[in-house]
Every structure is written in structure tokens, then in C-alpha cells.
Amino acid sequence: MNRRELFKSASALAVVGLLPQVAIAGTNGPDAADKGPRETLLLDKGWRFHDGDIAMPVLITHDQTYNAAKAGRALGAASPAYDDSDWTEVTLPHDFVSFQPIENGTNVDQGYRRRGIVWYRNHLKFSDADRGKHIELQLDGIATFATIWFNGTLVARNWSGYNSTYIDLTPYVTYGDSDNALVVRVDATAMEGWWYEGGGIYRDAWIVKRNPVHIVTDGVFAHPVKEGDEWKVPIEVTLNNSGTKDKTVQIVCTLLDAEERKISEGFIDLTVPKLGNAVGKASMPALSDPELWSIETPYLYRVLTRVTEGAEVWDEVTTTCGFRTERFDAQTGFYLNDKPLKIKGVCLHQDHAGVGCAVPEGVLDFRLRKLKELGANAIRFSHNAQNKALMDACDRHGFLVMAENRNFNASTDYLEQLEWLVRRDRNHPSVFLWSVFNEEPMQGTEQGYEMVRRMSAVVKALDTSRPVTAAMNDGLFTALNVSDAVDVVGINYQQHQYDAFHAAHPDIPMFSSEDTSAFMTRGEYKTDAVKHIMASYDDDAAPWGETHRAAWKEISARPFVAGTFVWTGFDYHGEPTPHTWPTNSSFFGIMDLCGFEKTAFYIHQAQWIDDRPVLGLVPHWNWQSGDKVRVMACANLDEVELFVNGKSAGKQAVDRLNMNYWTVDYAPGFIEVRGYRGSKLVSKVRNETTGKAVALRLVKDRPTLIGDGRDAMPIRVEAIDAKGRVVPDANHKVTFGGTAAIIGLGNGDPNCLEAEKGDTRSLFNGLAQVIIQAPEMAGNAAAVINLTARAESLKPANIEIRLDAPKAATPRQPTMLPMMVLDSWFRAPNATAHPDPNQRAADTDMNSWAWFRPGELFGAAKTDGYSLVAANYTPFASIQKNGGRVVFTSITGTCDIYLDGQAIGRKDDPAPSAMTVAIPPFGGSRRLSVVFKLKAGEPFGFGGLIRIGGPEKT
Ligand code: GAL
């Protein structure tokens, strides 16, 4: 049968028992702005998950060995026919490690959570209309080592948990009713870091359908540059052509401002060879006065890139970009848009309380808003590439981003990881530094220098507009070291070396790529080594670090140190230094794992914020009578005065570097700090002694959620006294309910061993956090969900969250429930007499019988006679137990059907028709044979799928 006939027969298939899972509403997408002929479909549903490894079958015979070596014939759980019907259904993103209990004996840096090997499977459905399209699978992040099969063929291996994998599925896709089996084996035993890395398919997955001539993924580079007084927007577009003929196309690039006004245009004519790529470059007319992107006003432009051939639009992509300049000066630091800007940055790992590494966009957004409130202007994504949505959010919120590569390695695979990072992120105005490593033993050696030289060249080949850096914690003064191969030197800790390095290299710009590493437990004010508690007065730091105050003092005093990246903005799971079990998350954060402020938050606000008054006051005022209490105020004002129960404890000149302290006697009541600019009172903060907790209170992060099934928000849980004040030492166990879906729980206590999933969590020092996710709204009707909280002896709380209708439905890739398809058949040479249905080719004979897939009719028989076809299979467990049916979509010709040599069905009418044959319960592997009776000149064979289903429903 030729291709056209195959196409026809596939589209004529009867649909038997397929259960497509239908796409429902949503707003998010990798290129949400994609328009025109491409389809970007979210692949979050239909996934089945198996916790643990599944060994591949052991091959014994020649026949097994020969067949297993073939495309499409992957074995075991990688095989399309594998029974996953009883696996757990999961929705992506899915960090399976965040569901694990915290167990002593597992890895400390992974937060004492078991990782290991797991499998995911999905069943995709492509319609006949998809035939001829270029079909790509995009997996945004899988931790850690991933092997990916599609329809029984190994299509990719990805050896880093932090980069995306783009896989061209086009050659292997089957259309119509076929099941397209996608299988991912994840080996999360492997670790790439010394922090919590999560595990599984923990970022989004997409199917992108494009025309044969299309813009490749991450294929538009549009980063404005300033030359003299003029701005240029050099545009580079990479096209691919998966079609069968070379094509000449036109590309139009249109620059749009935030109001969608057309600013300028560039044109490219490009010939794209069949099965090849072509790169086109366009230059737009220069601009003199664009709106600049900055920390305060992160103005974004967009470039619309459209590929056409005559009236036909082949592809269209929108790329966000921003106009800004950057410059490092070895004497005076960093300049954004030619204005000096001290970098006030934080290092971050990607995880959050409750959700591990599968952090929804709503929570990412919450974290960035907290960092804005802190006064931070930069983020170092230590030590790996991030979720694309987070990079977009940094553009929108106005953060400078130090983008960092995970693996320090100049071999091919690893250079490809670096190349992917730069290609994906080089349009972001937020990205201002490419970092090729963090603290590497070879940093002070010739070998390290050679490796960085190569890695830097990979970056420069793609982007010359940002400097390359590396975060060095040693080796700065050897004869040849990494600092000789980078544009800007990042120094981790080593604050005593700033001056020496600057003196030795007055022309090399430098900044602190990492510092501080100070310890605090939120809401605790007495260090207790036995209980693993760190006081929140900024007294304790790692031996290699400094307190928050001391580290900034060194940096702020030196104009040639371009700025800081404090370790870290938020606590993270794992690395509980200076403690170990049962402590399972870090103490370094300016905020805790939930994003609740520690004292460090007010310290940095006082240090970093100039444009509004800052006044913070610690501790709470619930102590024992007779206690001597150290009180600390953090302000950016001129003077602060502390009052204890209305009586002044003294006025002090504000010290923005060291903060202000008093030691006072406790008596129930209140403390109040008043802050002055000159003689004017501009701010006051009061901490009152609370009564005992009487009620719970739930506080939303935002007024509403989008009802797209993906939007999420943290809800703050508070224990309050009769006057509505948060009780700072309340530690009640709270149980949550209501209609809101809870996807994670936290309380910021690094020593807490409670699960982060489920419906119960204790408060820690008065607070906890619940992360809720919106349901998918059917239609546009407004809806409301609610969350309730209960704890013994407290008045329960209830809040309602209104759902906003999504602006547009999220297009989703259709998936199917698992079904067993018999698609690997063998056909014996034609016989003149009725053959033995049990007949087999010799185990060593790979050539007498022919392979075929159902869907292929065999055409007309040349002579009268018999044709034996057979398939081996192992039914799904439920069918082995209960029996089932073989469902032939269409059989042409007369035939007898046998199961393990026993006749189970007969077809007497040669006209094409569907047929269903019952099969009895039976354990293990089976052989289905069909003997066609041939008549010269008459067609015979199978049209469409043959599948094994459960028993007929009565
Ligand atoms: C640094 C390292 C970070 C983190 C930190 C803790 O040396 O770069 O990843 O481990 O120490 O202080």
C-alpha cells in the first residue's frame, strides 16, 4: 500500500474504545504569544507514574536479541505495549521527591528525601490532520538523568536536570486512532548539586506542531544594542525545513512597543534546504529614543517574526526584548543604562515549601514580589538554569539576572548544555551575566583556564553583549587561572582578598558572586545548638562567610566591587548547615522556605532601600517577666528611638550598616520604635505582647486566581489572639479543608519532619503556608473556591477565593487511556496448504518471515493459497486475570483466528469488516495467529488498529 492509501485507510478507521482526554481552559504556555499556524500544546495530563525502577527483560534467544536491537522495538517498560494501566495518574509538573517522607539515612543535601529511579508513560493521539506537520516534544526539565522513548524508539537522553530537551518526533508519529507511547525513565539517583534537586518531570512538557518550514525552538535572537547614540535591533532567525523540497521564504520582523504599536520592520529572504537549517539576519532601521528597560521601569518590546511564502504564512513567533545597556567598570562598578547601579542581589535555589522544585508561576511571582519588597535588584540563579517562566517574570519585574550554567565541563555534551542556556535566555533584558561555573577545584589551574576559555567561546558565539563570569572561591592569584579567561571576575566569600585582587588586577572588573552565608531561624531569638535553632540577631555565620551586616559593609565600602549576591534570598530544602538530621532545610535565607521574613529581611531593606522609609523592629514582645531582651531596629532614616511601655529607652543615630540595638527589661505591654528624618517622625513600628491564641486567620496573597487549572497562590496561616494579633510562639497543628486543591504545605521550620503534602501542618512561630491551585473552570462562569483551617482550641477560619475566567483556553495535547495495541506482526511465506497456526520461523531465521504493522492491507493475492500472520504479546494484568477481547478495526478477506494454536474465531465474508473475538483469562505471554485463505486477485489483510481490550461490558 502506498502512502496515500495508508492515509485513506487510517482516516477511515472506526474509533474503538478510545478515551481522549480533552483539552481544557488555561492561559500559560512556553510561547504564550505564539500565533498563526503553529500550535503549542501543553502536555500536562495523561501521565502515568511508577515509583521505582523496572528492570529490562533478560534476553536469551537470538530471536529476542535480534528484535530488541531494532528501532521501534524497545523492551520492558519502554515498549509501547507495556501495561501501565495500574500506574498512578499524575499531572505535570511533578516533583516526585517532594512527596517522599523525610527519612534519616538518605542524603542530607536532598533534604533527607529518597530519590531513585522512576518511570513515566503517556499515550498521545495525533489526528490525520497532523500528518505532514513538524512535531516536537519539549520537556522543560527532568531531574536528573532521563532516557526518552517514543513508540518504542529511543529518541533522547538528557544528562542534566536543569536544561530542556527538544525532540523531533515527526518521523515516529502514528496518526488517526493510534496510540503513540511516550516513555521517560528518570534516574534521580544521580545528583548534580549539593542542594535539593527534586526529581522527575518537574517542569512543563509541550507538544509543538509547526509547518515543515518553521522557526526552530529558541530560534529568534532579538537583543537591542546601542551603537553610539543609536539603537539597533539586530535580528537573527533560524529556520528548519523538515519537508521534502528546498524552500525559499520571506521573513518579516516587526518591532512592537508595549501598546502593540509598530515601531519598525526588517525583512529577510531565505532558502531553507530540505532537512536542513538556515540562518537569516535582518537589521531594522536604527532608533534614537526607545523606552529603556530598567529595574524601576522594566519596559518590554516585542518582535513579531513571521515566515511567509507568498500568501501562505508558515510560522509566526513573538519574542520579548528590552532596550538597555550594561557596563562593568573595573574602578567604579556596574552601570545600567549608563547610570551607576550597585548590585544588590540574592542567590536562589529553585524550590519552595510544599511544592519542591515544581513551583507554579503564581508562587514564582510571589517570590519575586517579596524580593522587590526587600529592595533586591538582582538574582543569581545558583547554580543552574531556571524555568523559562521565571526568566520571563524577571524581565517583567525588573531584576538583573546572573544566569548560571550547571556543569563545569568543556566536553561536547556539556558545551551543548551551555549553548542551550545561552540560546534560550539571550533575549531576556534581565540577563546581564553568563556564569560558567561555581567554585571549581580547577579554578586556579591552567586546565581550569583552558576549560573556561572554551566555554566562554561557546557563549560569545551566541551573544557578545553580556560578559562571561565565573564564581571563584580560590585560585585568584595563581600564575594562570580562570580570572584570566573571564570578562568579569565573581568572587565567592574571600572578602579579605578584594583589595589584593583589585591591586593585582586594577583593570579587571569584579563583584561578589556570593557572600554572607549567615544563619537565622525565623522568629527565634536564642541560639540553641541542641535544638538546632539559630537566633535572628545576625550574629551567626558560616566560618567562610560573614553576617549580613558585615558582608555588605565590605562591599558597600568599595566602589570597585560592583555589588553583592547574598547567600540566599530564601531558605531551600537540603544543605541544613551547620546542622544535620533532623534538620532538613537551610538556615541561610533572608526569608524562610515559605517566604516569611526573617530579621535579615529588615536588615537588607535598611541597607538597600533609599526611596522610601524603612523601619523594622525585632523581636516580638512575648517574654517572661524579668527577661533582659535585646531589641534591634533596622532603619534607613536619621534617628530611631525605642520606647518600652511608653518610656524612652534612648534615641540613637541610625546605623544602616550595623543596625541599632538596645537591651531592655521585659514587662508585658509593648515596644515601639519611632523613626525620624531630621526632626520629623516618619515611621513607627510597635510590637505588642499578645494574649493566647484564640483563632486562626487565612490571608490570601492575591485577591483572585485564574481558573485555568494551573494558577496557584500561597495562603498565609496565622494564629491570632482576641485582638487579632499574630501570636509569635503559637505552634498548633492545623488541618485544612474546603474545595481548594492543596498542592503543598510549609511552615519555615528547618527542623520540621511533617509531610509537605496532605492537609495537616503545624504552625511554626505563629505561621504556616498552604499553596492552593485553581481548578479548571468550565465555560466562563465565575466560580469561588474556599479553604478552611481548624486547630484544637482555636476558632476555625474560612476564606473564599474567586476564580477569574481565563482569557483563553490552554490548548492541550490530546492523550488517551492506556490500551494494548498489537502492532508488531510477522508474516510467513504464502503456503499452498492450510498452515499450522503454531508454525514459527526458526529462532535463528530472521529473514523468511516479514514484519508488518496493521493498517497495511497486503493488496491482492497473486495466487490461491494461505497466508499465516502472527503476533506475540503479554496481555495487561487485568486481562490476564479477567479475560478480554481482541478488537480488529477492519479485516479484509476470509480467515481463521487462533490463540496459542486454538481456534477462537472465523471470518467467512471477504468484505472488510470489524471483528471482535473473546479471549479467556490466561497468565503470561500469548501468540495470536491469523490464517487468511487467499483467492487470486482478491485483497486481504488488516486495516487499522488491532488491540486487546477488557471484557465486553454487559
Ligand atoms: C558556597 C556554595 C553554595 C552553598 C554555600 C553555603 O560555597 O557556592 O552553593 O553551598 O557555600 O554557604
Side-chain angles (χ1 to χ4, degrees):
M1 177 185 258
N2 66 30
R3 240 179 107 73
R4 203 174 300 275
E5 280 166 328
L6 179 65
F7 182 90
K8 266 203 324 228
S9 88
S11 57
L13 290 180
V15 179
V16 190
L18 293 183
L19 290 170
Q21 293 176 352
V22 180
I24 319 183
T27 50
N28 306 312
D31 297 298
D34 284 357
K35 286 185 186 161
R38 68 165 54 191
E39 281 178 274
T40 301
L41 307 173
L42 185 62
L43 180 56
D44 57 344
K45 308 270 187 206
W47 289 93
R48 285 161 189 272
F49 170 72
H50 183 272
D51 193 355
D53 199 11
I54 299 167
M56 284 289 174
V58 178
L59 304 175
I60 306 288
T61 66
H62 175 69
D63 167 58
Q64 290 167 344
T65 317
Y66 177 90
N67 279 296
K70 304 292 167 189
R73 292 288 192 274
L75 295 177
S79 151
Y82 191 82
D83 181 4
D84 58 26
S85 53
D86 61 349
W87 288 17
T88 312
E89 285 178 52
V90 296
T91 299
L92 301 188
H94 181 246
D95 173 2
F96 80 88
V97 181
S98 69
F99 291 81
Q100 306 291 344
I102 301 166
E103 286 173 295
N104 200 359
T106 54
N107 185 278
V108 54
D109 286 332
Q110 302 296 337
Y112 294 106
R113 284 177 167 84
R114 189 177 59 76
R115 297 179 86 231
I117 299 173
V118 299
W119 289 75
Y120 293 84
R121 290 175 56 97
N122 206 334
H123 301 269
L124 278 47
K125 183 169 154 54
F126 294 93
S127 77
D128 288 314
D130 292 328
R131 187 176 264 110
K133 296 256 174 72
H134 179 272
I135 298 176
E136 183 173 271
L137 168 66
Q138 301 181 352
L139 294 156
D140 288 354
I142 307 174
T144 292
F145 292 170
T147 314
I148 300 148
W149 293 265
F150 185 69
N151 284 338
T153 297
L154 197 158
V155 288
R157 291 189 190 91
N158 187 27
W159 253 224
S160 173
Y162 299 104
N163 61 316
S164 304
T165 314
Y166 308 142
I167 307 168
D168 179 9
L169 299 181
T170 319
Y172 324 99
V173 171
T174 61
Y175 304 91
D177 295 330
S178 290
D179 173 357
N180 289 270
L182 172 61
V183 184
V184 184
R185 178 181 184 270
V186 182
D187 180 351
T189 336
M191 285 179 228
E192 291 180 287
W194 51 94
W195 55 89
Y196 176 82
E197 302 191 276
I201 312 178
Y202 75 94
R203 292 183 184 163
D204 287 327
W206 309 89
I207 292 287
V208 183
K209 298 175 186 170
R210 289 172 279 203
N211 284 308
V213 176
H214 58 271
I215 301 166
V216 302
T217 305
D218 305 329
V220 177
F221 181 32
H223 183 56
V225 286
K226 195 172 183 190
E227 284 170 15
D229 286 337
E230 287 189 332
W231 282 94
K232 301 216 162 122
V233 190
I235 298 191
E236 192 187 287
V237 184
T238 307
L239 300 188
N240 172 265
N241 177 2
S242 61
T244 53
K245 293 193 185 73
D246 297 354
K247 281 263 179 199
T248 300
V249 292
Q250 295 75 50
I251 304 172
V252 184
C253 303
T254 311
L255 180 69
L256 303 165
D257 69 10
E259 282 77 47
E260 300 274 316
R261 282 183 301 235
K262 191 157 120 183
I263 306 300
S264 67
E265 257 178 347
F267 303 90
I268 313 171
D269 282 336
L270 198 60
T271 299
V272 199
K274 63 184 178 213
L275 292 182
N277 283 7
V279 179
K281 296 190 179 187
S283 65
M284 296 191 173
L287 299 169
S288 54
D289 198 16
E291 292 281 346
L292 298 184
W293 182 93
S294 68
I295 302 300
E296 301 78 23
T297 52
Y299 192 96
L300 294 171
Y301 285 79
R302 299 191 309 141
V303 172
L304 177 66
T305 307
R306 179 178 285 162
V307 181
T308 60
E309 188 189 16
E312 189 84 54
V313 179
W314 286 112
D315 203 359
E316 199 167 280
V317 156
T318 304
T319 310
T320 304
C321 65
F323 289 77
R324 92 291 185 284
T325 61
E326 63 169 283
R327 174 164 62 87
F328 279 87
D329 183 290
Q331 312 305 324
T332 54
F334 178 70
Y335 292 76
L336 182 68
N337 298 326
D338 279 325
K339 292 195 202 115
L341 184 77
K342 194 85 173 179
I343 300 162
K344 298 164 180 170
V346 295
C347 298
L348 292 188
H349 281 315
Q350 62 181 347
D351 59 307
H352 188 85
V355 291
C357 292
V359 189
E361 277 182 54
V363 178
L364 294 176
D365 191 72
F366 161 78
R367 287 164 64 96
L368 294 188
R369 280 186 276 116
K370 289 305 293 183
L371 293 175
K372 273 276 160 185
E373 198 185 323
L374 174 70
N377 59 23
I379 304 173
R380 173 184 178 204
F381 287 127
S382 40
H383 308 290
N384 50 264
Q386 301 294 309
N387 194 341
K388 187 174 172 343
L390 181 52
M391 302 302 291
D392 291 336
C394 288
D395 288 347
R396 288 196 306 271
H397 283 273
F399 284 102
L400 292 167
V401 167
M402 171 171 165
E404 191 157 280
N405 178 53
R406 172 72 295 271
N407 292 297
F408 182 47
N409 195 318
S411 64
T412 313
D413 270 14
Y414 293 96
L415 290 183
E416 277 172 12
Q417 290 175 16
L418 176 62
E419 186 178 332
W420 163 82
L421 168 70
V422 178
R423 211 179 267 285
R424 191 196 66 169
D425 288 345
R426 61 188 169 155
N427 291 315
H428 291 285
S430 53
V431 173
F432 82 126
L433 276 170
W434 299 115
S435 166
V436 295
F437 76 60
N438 174 67
E439 298 182 353
E440 285 289 338
M442 284 195 266
Q443 60 202 347
T445 67
E446 181 189 352
Q447 292 71 31
Y449 165 83
E450 284 298 334
M451 286 163 72
V452 169
R453 220 162 57 82
R454 282 160 179 75
M455 296 176 85
S456 173
V458 165
V459 175
K460 303 279 179 196
L462 293 165
D463 178 29
T464 50
S465 72
R466 289 114 170 158
V468 170
T469 188
M472 300 179 69
N473 65 338
D474 196 9
L476 290 158
F477 298 101
T478 60
L480 185 63
N481 64 65
V482 163
S483 71
D484 299 303
V486 295
D487 305 306
V488 176
V489 173
I491 299 186
N492 280 15
Y493 308 96
Q494 311 290 305
Q495 297 203 289
H496 58 284
Q497 303 281 26
Y498 289 167
D499 294 335
F501 184 79
H502 183 56
H505 304 281
D507 298 329
I508 301 185
M510 59 181 269
F511 68 106
S512 167
S513 39
E514 193 175 316
D515 52 71
T516 310
S517 276
F519 306 126
M520 282 187 197
T521 307
R522 174 184 56 79
E524 297 288 343
Y525 298 92
K526 283 183 187 144
T527 293
D528 186 330
V530 175
K531 291 189 180 157
H532 294 190
I533 290 170
M534 309 299 300
S536 291
Y537 285 112
D538 198 31
D539 292 331
D540 299 301
W544 55 92
E546 299 282 355
T547 62
H548 290 272
R549 292 161 302 141
W552 178 246
K553 212 187 287 178
E554 300 297 331
I555 292 159
S556 59
R558 293 172 173 79
F560 63 86
V561 179
T564 177
F565 283 98
V566 176
W567 191 266
T568 48
F570 299 92
D571 282 342
Y572 48 95
H573 296 89
E575 206 180 17
T577 307
H579 297 297
T580 54
W581 179 262
T583 311
N584 52 77
S585 66
S586 75
F587 292 89
F588 297 119
I590 293 171
M591 285 168 272
D592 71 13
L593 200 53
C594 300
F596 298 141
E597 303 87 354
K598 302 185 195 174
T599 303
F601 190 86
Y602 310 115
I603 293 175
H604 286 292
Q605 281 193 318
Q607 291 172 338
W608 289 352
I609 293 174
D610 293 315
D611 60 358
R612 58 193 151 95
V614 167
L615 187 55
L617 176 66
V618 292
H620 57 74
W621 204 240
N622 282 23
W623 300 97
Q624 304 292 325
S625 287
D627 281 351
K628 284 229 172 293
V629 184
R630 190 171 163 209
V631 176
M632 177 180 184
C634 310
N636 64 352
L637 306 169
D638 296 334
E639 286 183 310
V640 277
E641 183 168 12
L642 179 72
F643 293 84
V644 180
N645 292 326
K647 221 172 122 213
S648 175
K651 203 175 203 180
Q652 298 180 9
V654 164
D655 186 340
R656 282 183 78 177
L657 292 174
N658 295 310
M659 308 298 127
N660 294 84
Y661 292 88
W662 300 258
T663 300
V664 296
D665 293 323
Y666 174 73
F670 67 92
I671 48 172
E672 184 175 282
V673 65
R674 297 186 190 163
Y676 299 87
R677 278 242 163 93
S679 57
K680 192 167 168 235
L681 176 69
V682 289
S683 187
K684 51 184 183 181
V685 179
R686 185 186 273 216
N687 292 349
E688 297 178 2
T689 308
T690 70
K692 70 177 184 41
V694 297
L696 289 166
R697 181 163 61 201
L698 296 169
V699 184
K700 291 182 242 190
D701 174 48
R702 289 181 282 142
T704 59
L705 278 172
I706 300 168
D708 61 359
R710 277 163 65 79
D711 195 12
M713 74 157 96
I715 306 269
R716 180 181 166 113
V717 188
E718 300 172 340
I720 52 172
D721 72 358
K723 290 189 171 163
R725 299 172 295 199
V726 175
V727 179
D729 51 1
N731 288 329
H732 301 70
K733 187 165 270 201
V734 186
T735 301
F736 303 96
T739 54
I742 296 171
I743 58 168
L745 303 159
N747 63 13
D749 177 4
N751 298 317
C752 185
L753 292 172
E754 292 169 3
E756 291 190 289
K757 303 289 180 189
D759 63 359
T760 305
R761 185 80 183 184
S762 299
L763 300 170
F764 175 60
N765 290 337
L767 302 176
Q769 187 175 68
V770 185
I771 298 169
I772 58 162
Q773 189 156 49
E776 293 166 344
M777 288 171 75
N780 273 353
V784 172
I785 53 173
N786 79 310
L787 180 75
T788 61
R790 297 177 183 279
E792 212 181 301
S793 76
L794 300 185
K795 189 168 164 246
N798 176 39
I799 46 162
E800 296 195 331
I801 303 106
R802 197 163 52 78
L803 300 179
D804 293 330
K807 287 202 192 80
T810 300
R812 285 199 164 85
Q813 167 64 32
T815 59
M816 320 193 298
L817 291 178
M819 64 174 179
M820 176 153 213
V821 177
L822 291 188
D823 63 354
S824 297
W825 289 74
F826 297 93
R827 181 179 168 198
N830 286 355
T832 48
H834 193 292
D836 173 0
N838 273 331
Q839 186 190 324
R840 287 162 194 259
D843 182 43
T844 50
D845 174 0
M846 298 301 133
N847 295 295
S848 307
W849 290 50
W851 288 301
F852 75 95
R853 278 176 93 103
E856 303 170 34
L857 290 178
F858 303 128
K862 292 209 173 66
T863 56
D864 287 1
Y866 295 87
S867 173
L868 166 66
V869 297
N872 299 321
Y873 72 99
T874 305
F876 286 1
S878 61
I879 294 170
Q880 293 192 27
K881 188 160 160 247
N882 305 320
R885 296 167 297 151
V886 185
V887 181
F888 296 90
T889 304
S890 173
I891 306 180
T892 301
T894 61
C895 63
D896 290 309
I897 303 164
Y898 301 87
L899 188 66
D900 297 326
Q902 299 293 314
I904 56 166
R906 157 164 291 181
K907 181 167 177 283
D908 291 321
D909 179 356
S913 69
M915 193 161 173
T916 300
V917 186
I919 47 174
F922 184 89
S925 146
R926 324 218 62 181
R927 184 175 178 88
L928 187 72
S929 323
V930 178
V931 176
F932 285 96
K933 187 154 192 249
L934 308 184
K935 269 196 143 230
E938 301 282 320
F940 72 103
F942 302 128
L945 292 186
I946 301 168
R947 63 182 192 89
I948 309 283
E952 201 91 59
K953 294 238 161 56
T954 49

